[in-house]
Amino acid sequence: MNYKIVNIRTTASVDPVDSILIIYTGGTFGMAYDESGALAPFNFGRVIDRIPELKGLELRLTVISFPEPRDSSNINSQDWQDMAYIIYENYAQYDGFVILHGTDTMAYSASALSYMLQGLNKPVILTGAQIPIGSIRSDARENLITALEIASAKNEKGPIVNEVCIYFNYYLLKGNRSQKIRSSTFAAFQSQNYPYLAESGIDIEYRLNYMWPHNARSKLKIRKDFDENVAILKIFPGINQPTVESIFNIKGLRGVVLETYGSGNTMNFPWFIKVLQKAIKKEIIIYNVSQCSGGEVIQGRYETSKRLNDIGVLSGGDITTEAAITKLMFLLGTEKNLDEVRKKLVIPLNGEMDN
């Protein structure tokens, strides 16, 4: 992919100064009104014209743009690989990274990057906007400016943030614990099963006890392979046998995230259990997550989930669906041994679920 690289001139001209790489993938953030009054992607190299406040930051800013802005609905594992590669290749040159990304799949991308960037010891902050930057009431300005401040924040030990996060509407969230839960307000994201990491007000207040500490000896490694032969099956009242069978009969299927009720419950109809058993015997991994925002799977708490334990369905604990499906894709892509995949699915790789 031929990336577009633009250096942004700010008032920062004296060394030493922090340098931040902005990776522009597309999304609502980079839209502006054209001469006809329609929204269209604008030249992100001229972002300083849209956000003149950037001139006042004591930062060296560089933008790498995807050649064609991506609507986040079109994001796939190749795009995750491209984002991770850009960070890996430029890791030594920059103090932090800000990824501008559409909101619809931002939590998926944040989760995927958290698995790929092993040994990360610098901030990677994803942000975006609910209203395009070309609109008067856009939230893009505050989100970008604060994301840049967080990406450059340091204390006596080094960078304050040393992981993949989402910054949106005054809150910094752990990336692989986040979900988009609203489309009609600025407060698009929440992290129901993990506390927020920072809150932006007059000052930015960090909650260091919930954040990964800086480790100066850590070295970044990248693992980029994903297996897309997976599916999500959401249980609902009245779901029938042909529907469930059609999912598990997909050619080449290797894993299914099973979205269940409450703390991991499903119907205990004999036909349903037999379909799952048959799939597991074919070495299709079934990963149980809760449909509830803020839910946690505890297989065996109720009779309706005890049978899942017995046949070999794996519990995702309090993991989100976004973190679960990307974790399943990642492990199936990077691990050759299925027993290793099963073992790692039920433990945290990078804080995406409780121990």
Side-chain angles (χ1 to χ4, degrees):
M1 185 179 287
N2 296 316
Y3 303 105
K4 300 175 183 178
I5 304 176
V6 179
N7 289 303
I8 298 177
R9 291 186 175 275
T10 70
T11 57
S13 58
V14 180
D15 291 328
V17 67
D18 290 324
S19 54
I20 304 297
L21 178 61
I22 300 171
I23 302 170
Y24 175 60
T25 68
T28 299
F29 189 104
M31 306 291 281
Y33 291 101
D34 61 18
E35 294 179 356
S36 69
L39 281 169
F42 79 97
N43 179 359
F44 205 82
R46 303 194 62 181
V47 65
I48 204 120
D49 296 337
R50 298 283 179 179
I51 310 180
E53 296 92 336
L54 294 178
K55 294 179 181 178
L57 295 177
E58 287 295 320
L59 297 172
R60 294 191 185 280
L61 303 178
T62 301
V63 177
I64 291 183
S65 295
F66 276 24
E68 297 294 332
R70 301 279 280 174
D71 186 302
S72 72
S73 298
N74 293 323
I75 289 287
N76 57 37
S77 62
Q78 180 60 57
D79 297 307
W80 299 335
Q81 292 173 356
D82 291 339
M83 292 177 220
Y85 179 78
I86 292 171
I87 292 169
Y88 182 75
E89 286 294 298
N90 293 278
Y91 193 68
Q93 302 174 48
Y94 294 93
D95 299 289
F97 303 85
V98 171
I99 300 176
L100 300 179
H101 193 293
T103 59
D104 286 344
T105 58
M106 189 184 294
Y108 292 91
S109 294
S111 297
L113 288 169
S114 76
Y115 306 136
M116 299 169 74
L117 299 171
Q118 300 183 355
L120 181 66
N121 212 25
K122 294 180 181 182
V124 174
I125 313 299
L126 285 83
T127 194
Q130 292 285 71
I131 298 180
I133 197 171
S135 299
I136 294 174
R137 295 184 56 251
S138 175
D139 53 336
R141 296 171 183 81
E142 194 282 325
N143 284 345
L144 176 57
I145 291 168
T146 306
L148 289 169
E149 290 183 329
I150 291 171
S152 61
K154 294 180 179 179
N155 57 22
E156 66 281 359
K157 296 180 180 179
I160 292 177
V161 178
N162 299 278
E163 55 191 297
V164 179
C165 298
I166 288 176
Y167 176 76
F168 218 90
N169 192 51
Y170 305 110
Y171 287 97
L172 182 70
L173 307 175
K174 192 173 183 68
N176 56 26
R177 293 284 195 146
S178 304
Q179 292 181 295
K180 183 178 180 181
I181 62 169
R182 302 182 188 92
S183 60
S184 57
T185 73
F186 289 143
F189 290 88
Q190 267 189 340
S191 175
Q192 296 280 17
N193 282 338
Y194 199 82
Y196 63 83
L197 305 183
E199 182 178 6
S200 172
I202 295 175
D203 298 308
I204 300 175
E205 297 182 4
Y206 295 95
R207 308 175 79 184
L208 299 179
N209 52 321
Y210 297 118
M211 302 168 69
W212 287 118
H214 182 68
N215 180 359
R217 292 176 293 180
S218 181
K219 301 296 182 183
L220 181 67
K221 297 179 181 179
I222 184 172
R223 299 187 73 183
K224 298 192 300 179
D225 294 328
F226 288 86
D227 191 327
E228 296 179 338
N229 292 298
V230 296
I232 297 174
L233 174 59
K234 184 169 185 172
I235 300 301
F236 59 89
I239 191 170
N240 59 30
Q241 184 171 349
T243 299
V244 175
E245 286 180 335
S246 69
I247 297 295
F248 285 103
N249 286 331
I250 294 172
K251 185 177 180 180
L253 183 70
R254 298 192 66 203
V256 172
V257 170
L258 186 68
E259 279 199 355
T260 55
Y261 306 127
S263 56
N265 304 312
T266 67
M267 57 278 191
N268 55 6
F269 305 143
W271 68 260
F272 180 72
I273 300 301
K274 285 181 180 178
V275 172
L276 300 190
Q277 276 183 308
K278 183 179 177 180
I280 292 169
K281 286 180 180 178
K282 290 165 56 179
E283 296 195 322
I284 295 173
I285 291 175
I286 304 177
Y287 197 31
N288 187 3
V289 305
S290 176
Q291 295 180 13
C292 301
S293 180
E296 178 180 5
V297 168
I298 308 174
Q299 284 187 179
R301 169 178 281 186
Y302 297 99
E303 181 62 31
T304 48
S305 67
K306 183 178 182 300
R307 193 75 180 101
L308 301 182
N309 254 348
D310 296 339
I311 65 174
V313 173
L314 302 176
S315 171
D318 65 349
I319 198 170
T320 65
T321 296
E322 293 88 339
I325 194 67
T326 50
K327 184 177 183 178
L328 186 58
M329 294 166 67
F330 174 75
L331 289 175
L332 287 172
T334 56
E335 299 291 344
K336 303 306 179 187
N337 187 309
L338 275 182
D339 286 338
E340 196 67 18
V341 174
R342 294 185 187 98
K343 182 173 75 174
K344 290 184 176 180
L345 280 171
V346 298
I347 61 173
L349 298 182
N350 202 7
E352 74 281 359
M353 60 194 294
D354 286 345
N355 285 303

